Amino acid sequence: MAAGTKTLPDILIFDSSPDAAVIRILLMGRNSSGNLILGEKRFKRHESGVCEGQTQIRGQQVAVIDCPDLLDPDLNEEQLEMMEEQLFSGCSAGLSSVLLTVPLEKPLQYEQEILDYIKCLFGAEVQKYIMILFTHEDDLEDLDQTVDEYLKPKDHEDLQRLVTECGGKSHCFSNKRESHKQVQDLLQKIEGMMTENGGTLMMKQMQRSNSMDVLNVSFSGKSLPYPVSR
């Protein structure tokens, strides 16, 4: 490979082959639910890099790629670039779903910006694989509300817009009680999404020059470099 170049995923294609049998989930957002999905404490809080864990759920191989908060104010540009490389490496075998975790009963912060960053990082086709994963559904029990009822009021229009942008795809997790059913229901939704999309999302590798235009987008006191090809 020539000096000054690096390999980055550039073209997204679909894979429905037997090699795509692993359900590979990318978790993004403020709160990780990786341990709930895997059913064991595989991920630690405040991980400094992208981590991956695997397990079998009812005979199905499931891999979870957990990405730390991209908007952590302590992250510098070099660390962000390293995390991007880790994401590319971890997702190179294909993606079944990207879950954007959103805690219920807490105001949105920069979830919309993370969603935009995901699409910028992996391309527009990743939109078909993004699902909102609401966490802390148990917080609504004291209000005697379902998630659908909670999202209806006008003061939650930002949440409604986020779900709408993801094609209405969402799932809810209770964090206080472990439930195999909530994980199995999530996997069923992901499998249905894969069937609808014709398989997993694969990345074809291409060489691209290191000298790339960078679109800096500032929000919530943080500026993220968005890679933009010339």
Side-chain angles (χ1 to χ4, degrees):
M1 183 180 297
T5 63
K6 62 181 178 181
T7 301
L8 293 175
D10 189 75
I11 297 177
L12 295 164
I13 58 177
F14 304 103
D15 184 10
S16 56
S17 67
D19 293 335
V22 177
I23 293 181
R24 186 168 285 100
I25 301 168
L26 173 60
L27 278 174
M28 306 281 285
R30 284 184 284 162
N31 299 83
S32 171
S33 296
N35 290 332
L36 277 174
I37 295 173
L38 295 177
E40 56 184 287
K41 293 183 178 179
R42 194 74 62 86
F43 303 114
K44 299 178 181 178
R45 289 186 177 183
H46 311 299
E47 293 277 9
S48 58
V50 177
C51 301
E52 181 174 352
Q54 295 196 28
T55 190
Q56 277 205 344
I57 300 176
R58 300 186 69 176
Q60 173 68 60
Q61 191 72 19
V62 177
V64 175
I65 302 166
D66 188 61
C67 181
D69 188 352
L70 288 169
L71 299 182
D72 185 336
D74 294 329
L75 289 177
N76 57 41
E77 190 170 335
E78 182 179 349
Q79 289 172 314
L80 279 172
E81 185 176 342
M82 180 189 70
M83 286 169 58
E84 285 182 6
E85 295 288 354
Q86 290 174 336
L87 279 174
F88 295 149
S89 176
C91 299
S92 61
L95 276 177
S96 305
S97 178
V98 179
L99 300 181
L100 177 59
T101 57
V102 177
L104 286 167
E105 283 290 271
K106 289 185 179 180
L108 287 181
Q109 292 185 1
Y110 37 71
E111 280 77 9
Q112 180 63 56
E113 287 82 2
I114 292 178
L115 186 59
D116 293 340
Y117 191 73
I118 293 169
K119 288 186 285 186
C120 183
L121 204 59
F122 293 108
E125 287 295 329
V126 75
Q127 177 80 35
K128 299 177 183 178
Y129 291 82
I130 300 175
M131 182 187 298
I132 302 297
L133 178 61
F134 289 114
T135 61
H136 299 280
E137 182 186 18
D138 36 86
D139 289 345
L140 299 183
E141 291 179 356
D142 294 337
L143 302 177
D144 196 26
Q145 281 185 314
T146 65
V147 174
D148 289 338
E149 291 170 341
Y150 180 76
L151 294 179
K152 283 182 179 178
K154 289 185 177 180
D155 53 347
H156 297 136
E157 287 181 350
D158 51 353
L159 287 174
Q160 294 177 39
R161 283 195 300 270
L162 202 64
V163 174
T164 299
E165 187 171 345
C166 294
K169 300 186 294 292
S170 67
H171 189 68
C172 298
F173 264 7
S174 170
N175 290 62
K176 288 183 179 178
R177 58 178 181 272
E178 294 185 6
S179 170
H180 296 299
K181 186 178 185 304
Q182 66 181 359
V183 175
Q184 291 168 7
D185 289 346
L186 171 64
L187 295 181
Q188 285 183 353
K189 287 183 179 180
I190 291 175
E191 288 172 342
M193 185 166 55
M194 291 167 60
T195 299
E196 182 179 336
N197 293 332
T200 58
L201 195 63
M202 299 293 294
M203 285 170 286
K204 183 177 179 180
Q205 303 291 327
M206 283 189 65
Q207 286 187 4
R208 181 184 294 172
S209 172
N210 268 332
S211 57
M212 299 164 60
D213 291 331
V214 175
L215 171 64
N216 285 300
V217 180
S218 298
F219 47 91
S220 304
K222 179 83 173 177
S223 178
L224 274 181
Y226 280 35
V228 180
S229 58
R230 292 185 185 273

